[in-house]
Each structure stands twice: as C-alpha cells, then as structure tokens.
Amino acid sequence: MKRFAAALAAVLMLTACTQVEENIPVMAETSAVTEDTDASVDVTTAVSSEIVSEEITSETELETSEAVSESETTAAEEVQTEAPAAAENSAEETSAAETTTTEAVYEDAQAESTGTVTGIELTFYDVTLSQGEHKMPIVTMSPESAPDKSEIWTSSDESIAKVDGLGNITAVGEGTCVVTVASAASPNVTAKVNVTVKAAPGLTYIGGILIANKTYALPADYNPGVDPEAQAAFDDMQAAATKEGLNIYVSSGFRSYEYQSGLYDRYVQRSGKAEADRYSARPGHSEHQTGLAFDMNTIDISFADTDEYVWVKAHCWEYGFIIRYPEDGEDVTGYMYEPWHIRYLGKETAKKVYDSGLTLEEYLGIDSKYSE
Ligand SMILES: [Zn+2]
C-alpha cells in the first residue's frame, strides 16, 4: 500500500500545480476513503482520484469539498468494480480542485510513510479570561492516520496562565502570555493560543490562589456555585476512601453571600459576635462562597476522632485539598480547628502547602483579621 501510494504520488506530482491550498476536509475525506476500504486499498486510492476528476468535469459548479464528498461515496461503492488504471486519467486532467486532491493524497502518503503529525488545529487561538477561569481548546492533529497524537502543553508565563497536560488553561494573574501545544512525535509542529488574563473585579488572588478570609472579602454578587474541578476532585477522593472502607461525603459545599449572611446572623444570636467570629465567617468572608471549599461528614470536633478524618488528613493533598483550619492555627487562620473543612487548591499547590506544614496564610505570608 505505501509503495503504491508513493508511486501514485510521484506520478501525480508531475502534473501537480505548485500552488497548493490547505484543505483539511479534502485531506480528511481522502484519508477516510483509504481507511474504509482496507482490503482493497491499492484500488481505492487510484479510484478516489479518478472519481474526483470525473465529478469535477461533469459538475464543475460543485465546490471542491462537495465534489470530493460525493466522490467518496461513489468510490466506496465502486471499489470492487473499478480498474486501477484510473490513476493515469487523473494525471491528464488538471484543475485547481484536482490539484488540491492529488496533493492531499501525496501528503497523506508522505505522512503515513513517516508516521508523523504534520498539522495541529485548535478550536480557538485567542482567549480572554478572568483570573480563576479555565478554558480548554479542542485539538485536532492531522493526518488522522498518525499513530502518536500525544500533546505537550507549555505556557510562556505560568504567573499569568497555567496549562495542564490536557490543555486546560487556567488564568492566574493579569497580563498576556502564549500557551503552546506541540506534537510529542513531531515537536516542531505546534499551535499557539494567545491568552489575555484580566483581573476579576473585587476578587483577591495571591500566588494564583483565590483568597477569602477575614482580611480579604468576596463581592456580595460573586456567586460562582461549586467549582466543577473541585467537585470532580472530591468525587475522586471519595471513591478512593470508599475503597478503603471509609465513608466521606459533603455536608456543605458552595454557600452564597445571602446564605452565609443568614447563617452568621443565627450564630451571632446564639453565641454572641465574638464567639461566632471564631467559627463562622461574616458574609463575603466565607471560603464556601468561592465554591472551592467543602465541609465533610459531621460538622463537629468529634469528626477529628474518626478513621475518615485520619485518612483525609493523610491523603487529601493527593486530590488537591488541604485541611484549611488546622489545630492550633486560630491565630493565623482566624478560625478555630475545623477538621471537617477542606479547601481545593489543585494538586500541585496542595502538595506544596502540605509539604510546608504551614497554614495557607503562613504559606502565602498573609493575615486573616477583620478590620473592625
Ligand atoms: Zn466550612
């Protein structure tokens, strides 16, 4: 097959025009024909070229892609009956559309022979995000037949935007940078996304981490709901705990400004303001309003004595969480010990904070105190 395709390509190249347009649909169709009729591939390649030229001669008003698309159906149907001599016909008739097709056949044969990726397409090449937002382009590597379509993602400035191995871009800090995806098999084949990150009004990011504590408040209208990435991370952690025979679940996740306002008022009535401030955040200051915090199981100090807590304390960083208000941390976090409250930071940051043995405030060098 490869030998034949190369020979065909050589013949076609003799008459091929040097002006070549990129035409992805044609490439895709040609490739599909070749793959679909695996058993009689030698015939197929020739037939598809011949049919394309017939279509173009008889129905010149058709757009290239339509002609090729129609011819693909015909080719697939007629593969068993057409003779392979057709390749010569094709070489005799030259038109712009045909040139594109023959060139596509040639490129496909060439790519197949080396097994490399020759092009990368993305669903977007420019994006503007607010801090904390994520967006992931869909990647199409060509040719379809390339055996290794692994992606390598990099950011020109991780303080502006980070990107993970799947191409999920996270806006970190204000500015612009370039996120690049390269083919692992052909590292010189790349596509780039120009990323602009704008400040999220009223939100405080420190080191790319959204902060909500007694010093830094969230706007009353900040209402993101539970963060999908944090929820997925919790689900993973929960599944792992289940395998250990442990039962962890969310008792309280995202809380809106209004909800927190009602909650805090109730606690103030019950305990008085000074005491309520030790365990309940004032509206706008609750980490639950970020959508990145969860309370687990029994919201009570007795949770610290459970096997579930022992496991979570040892493993939550593996899923991107930290125990946010540890024992003896009240002076720096502003809150008494809350073994049940975890905060999502992402795996990389959570590991760093866990390894440091510090609270998030100490890790970032910030404080947590109401101004009044
Ligand atoms: Zn909580």
Side-chain angles (χ1 to χ4, degrees):
M1 156 59 196
K2 280 178 185 163
R3 191 151 32 92
F4 181 84
L8 170 66
V11 171
L12 299 182
M13 278 301 283
L14 292 174
T15 53
C17 176
T18 51
Q19 287 180 327
V20 178
E21 280 185 19
E22 283 283 320
N23 193 320
I24 302 301
V26 171
M27 283 184 68
E29 295 294 347
T30 308
S31 164
V33 170
T34 313
E35 284 173 11
D36 287 347
T37 54
D38 204 31
S40 45
V41 169
D42 289 2
V43 182
T44 311
T45 313
V47 168
S48 78
S49 301
E50 189 242 0
I51 303 278
V52 168
S53 55
E54 275 182 12
E55 290 284 345
I56 288 162
T57 336
S58 59
E59 297 182 57
T60 47
E61 75 280 6
L62 280 177
E63 291 294 320
T64 308
S65 61
E66 286 173 354
V68 172
S69 163
E70 284 196 9
S71 73
E72 189 220 343
T73 317
T74 323
E77 286 164 0
E78 296 183 9
V79 160
Q80 301 304 325
T81 55
E82 288 287 334
E88 283 175 20
N89 282 350
S90 168
E92 282 164 24
E93 296 171 18
T94 307
S95 71
E98 190 198 355
T99 302
T100 308
T101 309
T102 54
E103 185 66 20
V105 171
Y106 172 70
E107 282 182 4
D108 193 41
Q110 191 180 42
E112 236 177 79
S113 66
T114 56
T116 54
V117 169
T118 55
I120 302 178
E121 271 195 287
L122 303 176
T123 41
F124 60 83
Y125 299 91
D126 293 279
V127 67
T128 299
L129 299 170
S130 292
Q131 284 175 303
E133 284 186 329
H134 313 274
K135 198 162 183 190
M136 184 160 68
I138 297 168
V139 180
T140 306
M141 289 197 181
S142 56
E144 177 63 29
S145 57
D148 181 0
K149 296 202 187 70
S150 313
E151 302 159 13
I152 296 172
W153 289 89
T154 50
S155 168
S156 65
D157 190 339
E158 296 207 331
S159 70
I160 294 172
K162 290 193 285 191
V163 64
D164 69 13
L166 298 173
N168 193 19
I169 300 165
T170 301
V172 177
E174 271 184 280
T176 60
C177 68
V178 178
V179 167
T180 303
V181 56
S183 156
S186 318
N188 56 333
V189 179
T190 62
K192 295 179 189 302
V193 181
N194 298 306
V195 181
T196 302
V197 177
K198 292 192 182 325
L203 300 181
T204 305
Y205 281 87
I206 298 172
I209 299 169
L210 177 58
I211 303 298
N213 68 12
K214 290 185 176 180
T215 303
Y216 302 98
L218 303 167
D221 62 356
Y222 185 65
N223 199 33
V226 65
D227 183 86
E229 190 181 310
Q231 181 66 58
F234 187 88
D235 294 346
D236 285 350
M237 183 168 73
Q238 186 181 47
T242 302
K243 281 187 185 162
E244 302 294 319
L246 302 169
N247 177 28
I248 59 169
Y249 54 90
V250 174
S251 300
S252 182
F254 171 74
R255 299 203 291 254
S256 69
Y257 184 96
E258 289 73 21
Y259 186 95
Q260 188 66 29
S261 189
L263 203 60
Y264 179 74
D265 287 349
R266 264 210 329 268
Y267 290 140
V268 169
Q269 283 178 7
R270 188 175 76 183
S271 319
K273 195 168 186 184
E275 187 63 16
D277 278 340
R278 294 186 63 206
Y279 63 86
S280 178
R282 297 179 189 174
H285 294 271
S286 172
E287 211 172 43
H288 287 274
Q289 196 189 331
T290 65
L292 296 163
F294 299 107
D295 291 340
M296 292 174 295
N297 295 28
T298 314
I299 303 179
D300 185 275
I301 197 72
S302 64
F303 178 61
D305 298 325
T306 64
D307 291 343
E308 275 77 5
Y309 176 67
V310 172
W311 186 88
V312 166
K313 190 181 178 191
H315 295 283
C316 69
W317 62 273
E318 296 167 26
Y319 302 90
F321 294 96
I322 59 164
I323 305 283
R324 181 67 174 85
Y325 307 118
E327 205 166 5
D328 303 324
E330 188 171 351
D331 287 348
V332 281
T333 65
Y335 295 99
M336 54 195 278
Y337 184 30
E338 293 193 2
W340 60 84
H341 180 111
I342 55 173
R343 159 72 196 260
Y344 184 71
L345 295 173
K347 287 181 186 177
E348 201 178 307
T349 308
K351 182 178 186 334
K352 286 180 189 166
V353 176
Y354 177 84
D355 287 345
S356 75
L358 301 172
T359 63
L360 188 57
E361 276 76 14
E362 291 166 313
Y363 179 81
L364 294 173
I366 60 176
D367 56 24
S368 178
K369 288 185 172 64
Y370 290 129
S371 54
E372 54 180 270

